[in-house]
Each structure stands twice: as structure tokens, then as C-alpha cells.
Amino acid sequence: MKKTTSTTQSTDALNLVSRCPRYQISPLCKLESEGIDIWLKDERTRFGLGSFKSLGSAYAVIRHIADSLQICPSLVNTDIFRHAATHMTFVCASAGNHGLGVAAASATFGAKARIHLASTVPESYSLRLQKLGATVLRSGANYEESMELAITDTESTGAILLADSSWNGYSDVPKLIMEGYTVIAEELRTQFESEGTWPTHVYLQAGVGSFAAALTTGIRENWQVQPHISIVEPVDAACLLTSASVGAISSVSGAASIMGMLDCKVPSQVAFEVLKNEANNFISISDAEARRAVEKLQRLGVATTPSGGAGFAAVLKEQKLLDAGRTDFNPLIIVTEADHHTSKSCV
């Protein structure tokens, strides 16, 4: 199915994020696995932070600064933009890549960042944040407590809360962060147009579903040739598959998965509303399947985590079901993070 492209959230997000000095388009390459060519979008070097999540953080920071000035995108990264940023402080709680993105984007434009960490978060992560110029506060015994203290911080200081999870009455920022992720879909659109070919299938890993919903939105809005979209989850955290099967948000229970970023038991309401209508199917994979996929990617020269390689695990699983010699299977996977990130941060 072909579509006519238009200006959408995806193109608007890319227009802003591409003005960040740290921005570079992430690579698109091909792997060969058991006779099948697989497109691979590599997010491991995004903004030098090792994860796609920095796109959402950067976009949210840029939008807040730009909106405060009511300026057009051409003024992003100018003196007036940076001057406004120096009067802003962005706050979040984090246990993974989101905090690094907030810290890096704030530093890039001259804003301040305060990151609340639970006592369980490794000191090595705190040091990375501090090297990016952020103020780090040890707040609470777990992520939930650090989030509560981050909210209290912004209420008492007037700083701006950039949480990447939503709750009743707080959805605007999480939606901005999801818009930032659509940059990947827009980059892919231009890359595939340049190649003159398109994938037949796209595999998107999901925790609460924000990343998968953002990419699905960008694909459905802007791609000329529409692929079959599969959402990939751990077997013991298949909250989107379960919710889709009953037609309503549902929580699940199960053992902890080695796919830490995807080990989320309740989906995002915003993400679910997109995926239940726009995704073609939902696939659950076991820890053993994720482990084998990571090992195979390593042999192919792509080092990532079980979360980062979950899409590849789903391709390997579906390969076994394909007819021998089938030629109409040209899948795309997205490797979402480098292998040195181990903290949980649902996507």
C-alpha cells in the first residue's frame, strides 16, 4: 500500500532535533541471516549516549525552550535560544538512559539539569550524569520514590519536570518524548527512499509501548510503502499482547526478564491506543530466544543487550515459520541500545 507524504509530527520533530549540535542520522545497514537480508537501524551511537532514548529527551528540552520563546525552528541554537535556556532547569527521576538524555540536552543548550536517583542506581551512572554537568540527588529507595521527590522538587522550585512516564493529569511531556522518537521513522523514510526499496516487515520491541507507538505512528503517517508491523515483548511481560487480545488495558505478572528495558507489566494508555489500531500483530519471545539473538548479533559484529536485540529475536523466530525459498520477506529491526547499558527504563 502506498501513501502520499505530508508534514506531520515526524517531520516537525526531525526539523527541530536536527538543529542540535550533537545530532547525526543513525546508520542503516544490512545483515544476512540464514539466506535472508535484514535491514538494521543502529541506535547504539545516538548522541554519543548509546540509546535511542536521548532523542525523546532532546526533543522535549528543545520544545520547552522554543515554546517559552514562541520562536520558529530556525532560531534554535541561536544566542537568543541559549540565553533563554540558561534560565531553565529540567528535572527528572531516572534509572537508565532517559536521565542521560535530559542531562546531555540541557548541557548542550546551556540549561541546568537535576536528576533524582534511587539508592539502588549504580554510582557509575551518577558519575556519567555529573560528567554531563547535571546535579545528581540521591532520592528514595526505589524509582517510584525518586519520582515522587522529583515531582516535589519541581513543585517547590518551579523547575520543569521531564518524566518519560505518564499518569492522570500528566501526559503532555510523555507525548513530546514520543514525538522525539518519531525522528527514527522519518530518518528511515529518507533512507529507504534513497535506497529505492522498502522493508516488508518491521519489528518493534516494546515495554510500556512508547517507542513502538511512536515508530508506528511515524511509519503509518509518512511512509510511501506500508509494511507489516509486529510488536515484540518478553513472554512474561506481554502486556500489550494481552491488552490487545481483550481490547482494554491489562496488567500481567511473570518472572523478571533479561530484557530489562522491556520488562514492563502494564502498558501506556497512549501507546496502547495507537498500537491496538495500527500494529498488525504482537509477538512474545522468551529469554532464551533473546539470548540466542544477542549471541548471533555479536557474531555478526553488532554488540547489544537482550532488549536492544529483541526485534532480531522475533525475526529469527518467524524465519522458522517461513516457506523455504520465500523471497517476499525483507524485514527491518532496530537495535535500540549499546551493550554497556544495563539499567531498567521501560520503553
Side-chain angles (χ1 to χ4, degrees):
M1 180 175 67
K2 293 190 175 182
K3 298 186 75 172
T4 301
T5 60
S6 60
T7 300
T8 63
Q9 289 181 345
S10 301
T11 52
D12 290 343
L14 179 59
N15 193 23
L16 279 180
V17 171
S18 63
R19 296 176 185 276
C20 177
R22 301 172 68 100
Y23 172 79
Q24 285 185 322
I25 190 169
S26 66
L28 177 67
C29 61
K30 268 196 173 183
L31 297 178
E32 191 276 330
S33 173
E34 299 179 21
I36 295 178
D37 287 331
I38 301 170
W39 289 105
L40 185 152
K41 179 73 163 169
D42 190 351
E43 292 296 305
R44 294 176 300 159
T45 59
R46 181 69 74 175
F47 287 154
L49 299 175
S51 168
F52 78 95
K53 288 186 78 72
S54 54
L55 278 172
S57 309
Y59 182 66
V61 167
I62 293 169
R63 275 289 303 271
H64 272 85
I65 300 169
D67 290 351
S68 73
L69 294 171
Q70 297 183 328
I71 63 174
C72 63
S74 63
L75 293 178
V76 171
N77 207 32
T78 62
D79 288 342
I80 188 173
F81 187 85
R82 290 177 175 278
H83 179 72
T86 61
H87 298 287
M88 293 184 176
T89 300
F90 296 99
V91 172
C92 73
S94 184
N97 295 307
H98 175 61
L100 290 171
V102 171
S106 298
T108 296
F109 295 108
K112 300 178 182 65
R114 281 199 300 276
I115 314 297
H116 291 257
L117 304 182
S119 59
T120 53
V121 177
E123 183 61 21
S124 59
Y125 178 62
S126 174
L127 292 175
R128 288 187 71 191
L129 290 167
Q130 292 175 57
K131 286 181 180 179
L132 290 169
T135 298
V136 176
L137 302 174
R138 288 290 181 173
S139 303
N142 52 45
Y143 176 77
E144 288 72 24
E145 290 183 7
S146 64
M147 175 62 78
E148 290 176 4
L149 290 167
I151 294 170
T152 300
D153 178 342
T154 58
E155 290 174 344
S156 62
T157 64
I160 301 166
L161 181 67
L162 290 187
D164 60 348
S165 55
S166 60
W167 55 86
N168 188 29
Y170 186 83
S171 61
D172 288 347
V173 169
K175 287 179 181 178
L176 283 182
I177 289 170
M178 286 177 63
E179 284 181 37
Y181 299 156
T182 66
V183 166
I184 300 171
E186 188 62 11
E187 288 180 351
L188 283 165
R189 182 183 69 81
T190 61
Q191 287 169 318
F192 285 125
E193 284 183 350
S194 176
E195 292 283 345
T197 186
W198 297 84
T200 58
H201 296 68
V202 176
Y203 294 84
L204 301 172
Q205 49 266 64
V208 298
S210 298
F211 166 78
L215 269 289
T216 297
T217 297
I219 290 169
R220 293 304 190 219
E221 285 182 343
N222 278 358
W223 284 24
Q224 294 176 14
V225 180
Q226 289 292 298
H228 183 281
I229 296 178
S230 297
I231 308 305
V232 184
E233 301 174 282
V235 166
D236 288 319
C239 58
L240 287 159
L241 184 155
T242 301
S243 298
S245 66
V246 300
I249 290 288
S250 301
S251 62
V252 299
S253 60
S257 172
I258 63 170
M259 292 167 276
M261 285 186 67
L262 311 181
D263 189 15
C264 304
K265 311 300 188 185
V266 184
S268 158
Q269 179 71 52
V270 174
F272 174 64
E273 291 300 323
V274 172
L275 295 174
K276 73 175 183 179
N277 295 317
E278 301 295 345
N280 294 103
N281 72 316
F282 298 81
I283 301 171
S284 60
I285 58 173
S286 68
D287 281 4
E289 289 169 329
R291 190 178 292 110
R292 285 194 294 270
V294 168
E295 291 169 354
K296 188 161 188 174
L297 282 172
Q298 178 73 46
R299 293 194 295 272
L300 292 169
V302 181
T304 186
T305 67
S307 297
F312 185 58
V315 171
L316 295 178
K317 186 170 187 172
E318 293 221 309
Q319 262 186 285
K320 297 177 181 179
L321 304 176
L322 296 175
D323 296 332
R326 180 174 171 178
T327 59
D328 61 341
F329 184 58
N330 187 21
L332 164 70
I333 63 171
I334 300 173
V335 174
T336 51
E337 65 174 2
D339 64 352
H340 59 273
H341 294 288
T342 57
S343 298
K344 178 179 177 180
S345 181
C346 291
V347 298

